[in-house]
Amino acid sequence: MCIRDRAGRKQLTPAAAVLLLVLLVGYPLGRLLVTSVEDGMGALVDSLATAAVRTATFNSLWTSVAAATMALLVGTGVALLTERYRVRAAGAIRVAMVGTLLVPPFVSAMSWQATYAPFGLVDDLAGVAVPWLEGRAGVTAVIAVNVAPLAFLVVAAALRGTRVADLERSARASGASDSATLRLITLPLIRPALVAGWLLGFAAALSSFGVPAVLGSPAGFETLTTRVYRAIAFSARAAAFQEAVAMALLLAVVALVVVGLADSRMVSGPADGLAGGAAGRPGTGSSPPAGAVAATSGYLLLSLVLPLCGLLLRAVTRAIGVSATPGNWTLGNFQAALDGRTWEAVGRSVLLAAGAAVLALLAAGLLVLVQRSGARRWGVAPTVMVAVPGTTIALAMSLGYGRWIANTAAIILVAYVAKLLALAHRPLAGSVASIHPDLVRAARASGAGPTAVARTVFAPMLRSAVVAAGILVFMFAVHELTMSSILHGPGTETLAVVILDYQQIGDPTVTAALAVMLTAVMAAFAAPLFWLRRSWGAPQ
């Protein structure tokens, strides 16, 4: 009887995992596909062939390619500085680069506006403004700054996790110069990471909504994500909806292609055979290029520190055009921002983010449980949903579940879980993989049942990963804008939606105050991740 029950549980777990992925991924995307072709392929092609859609597609692809390339150059340069040359300020540089991820993209765009646009901080201090900030160039630059940390993390991990340092020292001992070693040894060895970093940056840039909404819309610069939003939010024409569905499907197809390339042998190469084992100590001990540290510090100052200062000063300044001197500082903007609607949005955002974190952890735990039984590809679906732009997910959820839960907080919650599931799955899967099977065998040999094994073996070793994964999902859900702006209804606005509303109606000081508060909340919840970084996913 016991054997029969155990066999039943083994069959039930994969079935539950399949049902979960169908509900979160398969059914919504399937409904999007069916809706896009229900009037025939000709109608789909006609929707994508309009001049406005062609322009938005070109803008999205051009901007994403340029931003991903710029981000890879910056991320690789900083990773080489911190991991290859091991400069004294490496720790601070790493924190600053990762800290860029804590600033929501649309807040980053607002901070650049507050700093470099006319009447911004730099204009106030030096009489200089950046005329191209609002438009194609500004959108590309700010997106590149936002995705550069992703490239940095991928390349830095490759430099730390391989025997690159050993081979570099061998090349130097053979008489090769530092530049020749970098060109002939280091860069070829980390080529898979470079390709993966570029693909990751391209996917993130393509799905960007907040930056083009803030910096592109005032200049009439549209991308696919902003055009989908406009077609859904501001048009009641059936043709506009069909156009939005076609663009959302196009975004999904491109995302799937990117994920397929990242998961293929295109990102496998020489470095694969160098990972693990007795890896050499990272870094060559050689001196970095002259001015490299100063250039990196200047980049972080101009891209992160100064914009945040400009945003803060705008939040405490009485009005636009007034000098940001202490005599013109006020807390009135914060008081005006914290009205009843904002407090309701704050509470709603916190509840939705907490609910998404709990549900994502439960779903990730189910997938990891199935994965541990031998099905190694269960993490592909969550990874796909991370790459699929939020506009596509929002429209897919609306088509799939809108008839039952449209304009409610529930549909936003489902979209959050689908989009952010990978943030919970990856830490848990990594930590479970690091648990040696002998520990489980020893516990079972001692008479422990499944519950006791989970309590005494898995729970202590997964505690840090569970906390870190929950915080990650919570943080990204709190500042999520794209899906929330499309799926919210009357009385279901999140804090990010409220901030975007203030920005669109032209109240920059109150908008800045709300953006500062959101960034402060992000930083507060991110602090525990720095304490958990040693144990999160580390071998046990």
Side-chain angles (χ1 to χ4, degrees):
M1 186 67 178
C2 180
I3 296 177
R4 185 179 303 173
D5 292 343
R6 187 178 302 172
R9 285 196 299 268
K10 287 185 177 181
Q11 294 176 356
L12 181 61
T13 302
V18 170
L19 178 61
L20 171 70
L21 294 179
V22 167
L23 293 176
L24 290 180
V25 181
Y27 178 66
L29 293 182
R31 285 288 300 158
L32 177 67
L33 177 61
V34 170
T35 303
S36 65
V37 298
E38 63 184 2
D39 292 332
M41 289 298 297
L44 175 62
V45 173
D46 290 341
S47 296
L48 295 176
T50 62
V53 174
R54 290 201 310 270
T55 299
T57 302
F58 174 78
N59 289 341
S60 291
L61 294 177
W62 186 94
T63 300
S64 300
V65 169
T69 303
M70 294 165 58
L72 181 64
L73 292 174
V74 171
T76 301
V78 177
L80 289 171
L81 189 66
T82 58
E83 312 306 325
R84 186 173 189 265
Y85 296 107
R86 290 183 292 154
V87 295
R88 289 187 177 181
I93 293 174
R94 291 189 194 101
V95 170
M97 283 295 291
V98 177
T100 305
L101 292 174
L102 303 181
V103 183
F106 70 96
V107 172
S108 179
M110 292 175 186
S111 70
W112 276 60
Q113 268 187 333
T115 304
Y116 299 116
F119 306 108
L121 176 62
V122 174
D123 192 12
D124 187 28
L125 295 178
V128 177
V130 179
W132 46 261
L133 183 62
E134 292 184 347
R136 182 192 306 271
V139 169
T140 304
V142 177
I143 291 178
V145 168
N146 288 332
V147 303
L150 302 177
F152 165 76
L153 291 172
V154 172
V155 176
L159 290 171
R160 287 195 303 267
T162 69
R163 298 191 183 98
V164 173
D166 289 339
L167 296 178
E168 284 183 331
R169 280 190 284 267
S170 298
R172 295 293 298 273
S174 301
S177 64
D178 185 68
S179 60
T181 302
L182 176 64
R183 186 178 67 257
L184 299 175
I185 302 296
T186 310
L187 294 181
L189 286 173
I190 64 171
R191 177 188 60 82
L194 297 177
V195 177
W198 190 90
L199 289 172
L200 185 61
F202 178 84
L206 186 69
S207 65
S208 179
F209 168 75
V211 175
V214 173
L215 296 179
S217 296
F221 178 77
E222 275 195 331
T223 62
L224 285 171
T225 54
T226 56
R227 184 157 185 83
V228 170
Y229 170 72
R230 281 189 55 199
I232 295 174
F234 301 111
S235 179
R237 296 184 301 110
F241 178 76
Q242 183 63 32
E243 184 180 279
V245 172
M247 289 186 290
L249 181 65
L250 177 61
L251 285 168
V253 169
V254 175
L256 291 175
V257 171
V258 171
V259 171
L261 291 175
D263 198 44
S264 70
R265 290 191 175 273
M266 280 192 65
V267 295
S268 64
D272 293 348
L274 298 170
R281 183 185 179 190
T284 63
S286 56
S287 300
V293 176
T296 300
S297 301
Y299 165 78
L300 293 171
L301 175 66
L302 295 175
S303 65
L304 177 64
V305 179
L306 195 59
L308 289 179
C309 291
L311 184 68
L312 178 60
L313 284 176
R314 174 162 290 185
V316 299
T317 302
R318 295 183 185 279
I320 295 294
V322 176
S323 179
T325 56
N328 292 321
W329 290 356
T330 179
L331 295 179
N333 296 324
F334 290 91
Q335 295 174 348
L338 294 175
D339 56 12
R341 178 172 180 247
T342 300
W343 280 116
E344 290 179 2
V346 169
R348 192 175 299 114
S349 294
V350 171
L351 289 176
L352 282 171
V358 172
L359 293 177
L361 284 172
L362 292 175
L366 177 61
L367 294 179
V368 169
L369 184 62
V370 178
Q371 182 174 331
R372 188 173 176 82
S373 67
R376 299 297 179 186
R377 307 300 294 173
W378 286 92
V380 172
T383 302
V384 167
M385 294 301 279
V386 166
V388 173
T391 47
T392 298
I393 294 177
L395 191 52
M397 291 296 172
S398 180
L399 292 170
Y401 301 112
R403 73 188 73 178
W404 301 296
I405 53 175
N407 298 324
T408 68
I411 197 169
I412 300 176
L413 179 61
V414 174
Y416 283 1
V417 176
K419 176 72 172 177
L420 304 176
L421 177 57
L423 298 182
H425 177 263
R426 286 301 178 91
L428 289 181
S431 291
V432 169
S434 70
I435 299 176
H436 200 284
D438 287 346
L439 294 175
V440 179
R441 296 191 190 102
R444 288 177 176 172
S446 301
T451 303
V453 171
R455 186 180 66 255
T456 59
V457 177
F458 286 99
M461 294 185 173
L462 297 180
R463 186 177 297 115
S464 296
V466 169
V467 174
I471 292 175
L472 276 175
V473 175
F474 182 90
M475 286 171 49
F476 279 85
V478 161
H479 74 67
E480 201 286 323
L481 172 65
T482 309
M483 298 181 296
S484 305
S485 62
I486 294 176
L487 294 174
H488 81 275
T492 61
E493 299 90 347
T494 63
L495 179 58
V497 172
V498 170
I499 295 175
L500 183 64
D501 286 348
Y502 272 109
Q503 191 271 337
Q504 290 179 336
I505 65 177
D507 197 339
T509 53
V510 174
T511 303
L514 285 169
V516 167
M517 290 188 289
L518 178 58
T519 305
V521 170
M522 292 289 294
F525 279 97
L529 291 179
F530 290 98
W531 293 96
L532 293 166
R533 69 187 186 277
R534 294 183 182 274
S535 54
W536 176 17
Q540 302 292 341

